[in-house]
Amino acid sequence: GQCVLVRGDRSPATEALADEVAEAANVGALTASYTAYSRHPAVPKQYVQDLLQSDTMLNLLNPMMVMPGLHVYVCGSSEMASAVQDMLAKTW
């Protein structure tokens, strides 16, 4: 099935497991990977829940939601978990 990873970090410089995520995508273990950066100086602040609500993610995930075997992994700080859960409940 499809496997999508959505995660948050402060900036690319502090991104945890970037090499491992890239390798997982290269070998086909991940269909797609998206990162929200909350403190990247070159882009507006974005949190995981913001990324999940973006048109890009909605256009990607909406058709996938009916696919058998879809896995969406959401990774970030424990503080964002309730905000993501609330957003997912409202969206899907």
Side-chain angles (χ1 to χ4, degrees), residues 6-90:
V6 183
R7 59 200 177 114
D9 215 314
R10 291 176 182 229
S11 72
T14 62
E15 197 170 331
L17 304 173
D19 293 339
E20 291 84 350
V21 170
E23 179 62 21
N26 286 339
V27 300
L30 282 176
T31 305
S33 174
Y34 298 90
T35 306
Y37 296 113
S38 61
R39 291 180 181 73
H40 190 303
V43 296
K45 182 185 291 189
Q46 186 179 50
Y47 295 107
V48 172
Q49 60 270 28
D50 301 324
L51 178 57
L52 284 167
Q53 291 181 74
S54 71
D55 288 341
T56 299
M57 291 303 297
L58 292 174
N59 289 336
L60 172 79
L61 292 176
N62 277 337
M64 294 175 127
M65 294 307 265
V66 297
M67 292 179 168
L70 171 66
H71 297 278
V72 178
Y73 294 95
V74 180
C75 302
S77 70
S78 59
E79 292 85 25
M80 66 92 197
S82 63
V84 168
Q85 189 173 22
D86 290 345
M87 188 282 312
L88 291 173
K90 290 176 187 172

